[in-house]
Amino acid sequence: MLPAHRFGLARLPPPSSFRFSSTVAQPPPRRLFHRTRLVVRYTGYLALSSVFGVLVIGAGIFVHDALTYTEKHVDRVPVSPLALHPERGGPKNLPVVRVQVDDEQDEENVKLAEKPRLVIVGGGWGAMGILKTLHVGDYHVTVVSSETFTTFTPLLPSAAVGTVQIRSLIEPIRKIIARLRGHFVQGKAVDLDMKERLLEVETMTPDGKTANVYIPYDKLVIAVGSTSSTHGVPGLENCFQLKTIADAQSIRRRIMDNFEVASLPTTTPEERKRLLSFVVCGGGPTGVETAAEIDDFCQEDIMNYFPKICREEVSIHVIQSREHILNTYSEAISQYAEKKFNRSGVNLITSARVSGVTNDSVTYTTKENGKTVKHSIPTNFVLWSTGIAMNPFTQRVSDLLPNQVHKKAIVVDAHLRVKGAPLGEVYCIGDSSTIETSVVSHFMELVDEADKDKNGKIDFDEWKFMVERIKSRIPMAEDHLTEVRAIFDLYDKDKDNNLSLNELLPLLQDVEKHLTSLPATAQVASQEGKYIGRKLHKLARKSAVAQLNNAPSPKDEDVSKPFRYLHLGSLAYIGNAAVFDFGGHSFMGGLAAMYAWRSVYWNEQVSARTRGLLMIDWIIRGVWGRDLSRL
C-alpha cells in the first residue's frame, strides 16, 4: 500500500485527541487544588489579621484604662469665705460674686484671680471664637450661659429627623474653658449696671426657685444671639423654632408622633393628611434644609418601615415671602434648589405672607390680579424660621443706652464696642449686634476733623483725609469710596475744587444708602469672636507692660485695626445634594456636593470628640438608616 501523503492526505491524529468546540476545557485537578488553597490561605490571613487587630485595639483600651484610672483623693480644698458667703451690694443689694468657689484651689487659679475680669455672656459661635483665641493667663474668665454646652447649630435640621444624634452636636462649655482655667456660671443675664460694672444673672436654687446675683467685670462681651421675629403674626405659639437642642428634640418627637398616629387604622383619611402635612414658614437656609431633611426622612426611612400610605400622603410646604427661596444666594443656586424641590414633590409657595397659625392649620395670603387671596393648609406641624428679633437681655441693654435705636440688635462701632457704653468695657458680637452704618450721624465730627483751615469747605486734600476717617469708623464704606477723585468731582457742583457743606451732606447720604448690615450668620459671629479674642489678648499684654511703666492703659485702636468681615461663602443642604455660594462663584450638585458640604461642617466642629461622633452618625445612617425611636 502506498503512503497516504503521496495522495495529498494528511496523517490524522488518534481519535482520543479530538475535542468538540462546544466542550469547555476543565482545569487540571492539580491547578484547581492550588487555587483553592490560595483562597483559603488568604482568607485565613484576613481572619487572623482581623482577630489580631481587635486584640490589639482591646489591649490598647485596656492599657489606657489601666494607666489613666486612678483614685484621686481631694482633702482640705481651700475655699475663700467670700465665695461661700458673698457680700451684698449694687443697686438691688444682691450677692456680689467677687470670688469664685475654685479661685483658691491651686496656685494657678490664685494668680488668675488677680487678672482683669472678663465676663462672656452666651455660649454660641461668638463666645467660642473668643475662647479659642484667648491665651492662658490673659484674664480671669467667666462664661455665663443658660445652657451648659455649645451647639453646632447648622446641623440642627439633621438632628431634628435623626440623621445625626443630638450628642454629636454639643460640647460642654466647661471642657472648652478648661484650657483657660475659666469659670462657668449656669444662668441667664437679665440686667446690667455699667456704672458699677455689675452683670445681674438669674440662677437656680436647690429648691427650683430663681435667685439673682451680681457678677463683676472689667470687660464684658455680650454674645447671647437672637430670637425669631414674629412679624406681628398671631398664633406663633403653635409653631416650632429651630435654634436650640431642645427645639430639635421637640420637632423630632412631633414628627414621630405624627407618623405613628397616621399609621393607626382608626385614623381617618382627612386626619391622616393633616398629620402628614409639614409646613415650613421661611425659605432661608434653615427652612430649606429642614424641608429637605424631612423629605429625605420620608423617602429613605418612612418608605421602608411604615405603611406605604404614610409616604403617599406626606406633603411638605415651604412658604416664602420673596419670589425665590435662598434669596440671599445667587440666582443660579435659587433656581437649582427650586428645581430640586419640584422634582422631590416639595410644594414651594413664593411671594406669600403667613397671616395666622392655629393648632390645626396655617393661613397665608397671595396677590392674584391685584387682589389679596387667602389660603389655608391643614397641618399638625409648623416650623417658623423667618427673621430675627432681640434677645430679652439685648433689649434691656439697648433700653439702658439712649443712642441705641436699632430695633433688632445692639449697635456697635467698628471695634465691636457697644455705642454709648463706657469705651473699651462692653463689647457685643454675633446676632445680638449690628455694626453701625450711619455716616451722616458723624457729619459735623468729620467736618471738624477734616477742615484744617476752618473755612467751612472741604478741599480735595481734606476730602482724602475725611475718606480715611470714614473708613476707620465704618469699614464697610471702604468699597464705596475707592474712586476718591471721581466722587469729589461728581458732587462739586460749582466746580470750585471745594465741597461746601450743602454738597458734602448729599454725598455722605448717598454713601450711607449703599451700606448694608452684616448677615446674622454663624460665620459672622465666629469671625467677630476670634477678632475680639485676639484683640483682648493684645490689650492684656500691653496693659501689663503699661502698668509696669506707669503708663496709660492702651486703647483698642492702639492694638488692633477695625473689624473687617471676610465672606468665605454660603452653603445649604437640599436633599442628597448641596449648594455653595462663594460670591462670584457658585457650586451645586448631587452626592459630590453633599460630601463637600459634610466635609466643611465636619471641619468646623468645636472638638475632635464631636468630629468622631459625627462621622459615626453618618456611617450608621448610611448603613442602617435613621433611628426611628421616639425619645
Side-chain angles (χ1 to χ4, degrees), residues 410-552:
I410 294 176
V411 180
V412 297
D413 65 10
H415 287 268
L416 306 185
R417 298 171 295 198
V418 173
K419 298 282 290 182
L423 197 64
E425 292 184 4
V426 184
Y427 302 85
C428 190
I429 59 177
D431 295 1
S432 53
S433 71
T434 181
I435 300 176
E436 69 169 334
T437 57
S438 176
V439 183
V440 177
S441 62
H442 298 284
F443 178 70
M444 293 309 300
E445 187 178 352
L446 290 169
V447 171
D448 186 60
E449 292 176 350
D451 188 10
K452 303 297 184 182
D453 53 12
K454 305 301 178 183
N455 65 349
K457 294 183 179 182
I458 304 297
D459 60 30
F460 182 67
D461 290 333
E462 293 172 337
W463 164 242
K464 288 194 295 183
F465 175 82
M466 181 180 287
V467 167
E468 294 303 317
R469 299 301 297 162
I470 293 174
K471 291 178 180 179
S472 66
R473 281 185 168 87
I474 306 173
M476 287 182 289
E478 184 173 356
D479 294 338
H480 305 283
L481 294 171
T482 54
E483 302 294 334
V484 181
R485 183 79 228 188
I487 295 174
F488 183 88
D489 293 339
L490 180 63
Y491 286 86
D492 182 15
K493 302 299 183 182
D494 53 10
K495 306 302 178 184
D496 62 348
N497 204 36
N498 286 286
L499 292 176
S500 66
L501 298 187
N502 289 334
E503 293 171 332
L504 181 61
L505 182 60
L507 188 161
L508 298 183
Q509 288 175 336
D510 289 345
V511 170
E512 185 175 317
K513 289 177 183 177
H514 291 87
L515 301 182
T516 56
S517 300
L518 294 177
T521 62
Q523 187 178 163
V524 172
S526 179
Q527 289 189 27
E528 289 179 342
K530 292 175 181 177
Y531 166 82
I532 288 290
R534 286 190 291 266
K535 180 165 66 174
L536 291 178
H537 166 65
K538 295 176 182 177
L539 283 171
R541 291 291 184 260
K542 292 213 169 188
S543 296
V545 174
Q547 189 174 5
L548 291 175
N549 299 325
N550 294 322

Side-chain angles (χ1 to χ4, degrees), residues 71-87:
E71 295 184 3
K72 297 181 180 180
H73 299 281
V74 181
D75 297 317
R76 298 181 181 180
V77 178
V79 180
S80 171
L82 285 177
L84 300 177
H85 305 285
E87 295 178 346

